[in-house]
Amino acid sequence: MDQEIVDIQDLDGVGPVTAGKLREAGFDSIVAVAVAPIRELVDKAGLEASAANKIVKAARRQITTDFITAKQLYDRRQNLRRLTLGSINLNKLLGGGIETQAITEFVGEWGSGKSQLCMQLSVTAQLPNKDGGLEGKVLFIDTEGTFSAERVYQIAQASQLQGEKILEGIFCSRVYNSDHQVLTVDHAFKLCQEENIRLLIIDSVLSHFRSEYIGRETLAERQQKLNSHLHKLTRLAQALNLAVVVTNQVQANPQAFFGDPTRPAGGNILAHASTHRIMLKKASGGLRCARVIDSPYLPESEAFFQITEKGIEDATPKSRRED
Ligand SMILES: Nc1ncnc2c1ncn2[C@@H]1O[C@H](COP(=O)(O)OP(=O)(O)OP(=O)(O)O)[C@@H](O)[C@H]1O
Ligand SMILES: [Mg+2]
């Protein structure tokens, strides 16, 4: 049997120079190399295509064979975990909670509660499995500067958790442009493995892409870059059994004369990458309504919640109360 290889430098075809290039480009573990498209090793690490091909194959031999049986697929699904949102209504809406091995996207207008939900999840992810947590740490990629440690502390304390300990379990990265965001995710493989990160959040995933790529002529480039970014997120979620949560704003849709005039930003690319899409809306009485708008198996139902000083809590709209 082959000896187990743990460092990329021990892979066939990787010397110190190549290892340096790979690490610098974020391909710093066997898994990260194994799941990378060869084109990315060429573009980002500056390798020759033939060398990249050989290295990826060597890494894949370490991880798994190219074919897996349906039984293995089934077993992988058995490892799937669900993360509680801290609200029975929302958990039910999502079939028991937020799934690992998938991307869950929360879409909504300003103030609809997307960032609050992300901060709440940064707390619940650290809970033990028996309490609906993932028993792991969190990587919070903040593109808008709205992450608040004080708020996370408040939510943790309200659940009788140690606020400081919870804050220590959250790695925050404030990213300032789309390249920075892409690079941060490229480098996340190693951190996620070393630190037992079980939840990766991007709040919000498109804001930099939207502000930097303006006008039709830039659309193709934007979508290409976004596509590769989202694929990377999917690979992270699946290879490391993490939950990935992204938020997204709605954009005006002038073509919608009837019904809802807003739709999620990002077009088809984001729609295809996200496994589950949940629309958040402000409802009367200060409540929030969450609705499944796209999912392979969740029914299109809705749930109500409210944002309080404790975080996310269940709510029932007045019109549906018994009294
Ligand atoms: N400590 C708190 N107690 C009660 N409600 C709060 C508290 N902090 C925030 N909120 C509520 O959360 C709302 C903000 O929600 P949030 O920031 O999650 O919106 P968002 O969907 O991320 O919006 P944006 O698109 O602007 O980022 C506030 O309007 C307020 O109603
Ligand atoms: Mg926000």
Side-chain angles (χ1 to χ4, degrees):
M1 208 182 103
D2 285 350
Q3 208 183 339
E4 199 197 357
I5 291 180
V6 288
D7 192 88
I8 53 167
Q9 204 170 318
D10 300 327
L11 286 171
D12 226 7
V14 181
V17 176
T18 307
K21 286 182 186 170
L22 286 168
R23 286 202 179 94
E24 211 164 293
F27 302 104
D28 39 19
S29 69
I30 304 281
V31 185
V33 174
V35 299
I38 290 163
R39 185 177 33 80
E40 269 198 31
L41 294 194
V42 173
D43 291 348
K44 294 190 173 170
L47 303 185
E48 294 290 332
S50 57
N53 194 3
K54 189 174 167 196
I55 293 166
V56 166
K57 278 192 180 148
R60 284 183 187 163
R61 276 199 299 274
Q62 294 303 315
I63 302 292
T64 173
T65 51
D66 279 335
F67 295 103
I68 60 168
T69 64
K71 169 70 167 61
Q72 285 170 307
L73 211 57
Y74 176 82
D75 289 344
R76 190 189 291 171
R77 293 286 294 175
Q78 301 307 300
N79 290 332
L80 186 151
R81 298 274 169 273
R82 287 185 186 278
L83 166 60
T84 177
L85 294 105
S87 139
I88 295 169
N89 291 352
L90 288 178
N91 285 346
K92 222 187 267 171
L93 184 80
L94 282 157
I98 288 180
E99 278 181 12
T100 59
Q101 304 175 22
I103 300 184
T104 304
E105 175 190 351
F106 289 99
V107 193
E109 57 186 330
W110 59 271
S112 55
K114 303 181 294 293
S115 298
Q116 293 295 319
L117 205 54
C118 290
M119 288 187 267
Q120 167 92 27
L121 292 170
S122 311
V123 175
T124 56
Q126 300 186 53
L127 293 172
N129 279 329
K130 68 173 175 46
D131 297 329
L134 299 175
E135 289 185 1
K137 295 183 185 166
V138 179
L139 173 56
F140 199 116
I141 300 177
D142 179 13
T143 71
E144 295 172 336
T146 50
F147 174 82
S148 159
E150 289 78 12
R151 177 62 171 141
V152 172
Y153 186 92
Q154 184 185 37
I155 295 172
Q157 294 285 93
S159 305
Q160 275 78 50
L161 299 167
Q162 289 174 5
E164 270 136 43
K165 201 155 168 254
I166 295 292
L167 291 178
E168 275 175 5
I170 305 172
F171 292 84
C172 303
S173 173
R174 169 82 170 96
V175 301
Y176 292 96
N177 56 53
S178 65
D179 284 331
H180 190 188
Q181 183 176 328
V182 166
L183 207 68
T184 303
V185 169
D186 285 354
H187 282 83
F189 255 99
K190 194 162 178 232
L191 183 76
C192 289
Q193 281 178 296
E194 284 176 359
E195 294 290 346
N196 185 33
I197 284 169
R198 291 274 145 246
L199 169 66
L200 188 158
I201 294 171
I202 307 188
D203 183 22
S204 74
V205 71
L206 274 186
S207 53
H208 288 313
F209 287 87
R210 284 179 82 188
S211 63
E212 290 164 27
Y213 293 87
I214 301 163
R216 285 211 158 267
E217 68 284 1
T218 66
L219 196 65
E221 190 191 336
R222 176 185 104 164
Q223 296 302 71
Q224 200 178 20
K225 191 165 149 189
L226 184 62
N227 195 22
S228 124
H229 183 51
L230 296 169
H231 270 101
K232 187 64 129 289
L233 286 171
T234 306
R235 291 202 298 275
L236 259 171
Q238 293 183 345
L240 303 182
N241 196 20
L242 325 172
V244 173
V245 169
V246 303
T247 68
N248 185 14
Q249 277 260 349
V250 287
Q251 67 184 15
N253 177 7
Q255 280 149 0
F257 289 108
F258 303 103
D260 194 341
T262 57
R263 64 177 177 191
N268 288 336
I269 300 257
L270 190 53
H272 288 148
S274 301
T275 318
H276 309 290
R277 304 191 108 175
I278 318 295
M279 175 79 88
L280 301 183
K281 277 194 173 161
K282 289 184 251 188
S284 59
L287 302 190
R288 303 291 192 279
C289 174
R291 190 178 174 83
V292 175
I293 55 171
D294 194 4
S295 165
Y297 58 84
L298 296 171
E300 289 204 359
S301 53
E302 58 184 29
F304 287 85
F305 66 97
Q306 56 187 334
I307 306 165
T308 71
E309 60 186 48
K310 291 185 186 162
I312 303 297
E313 291 193 275
D314 279 326
T316 313
K318 229 177 186 167
S319 57
R320 299 191 184 184
R321 284 182 208 151
E322 299 292 314
D323 53 345

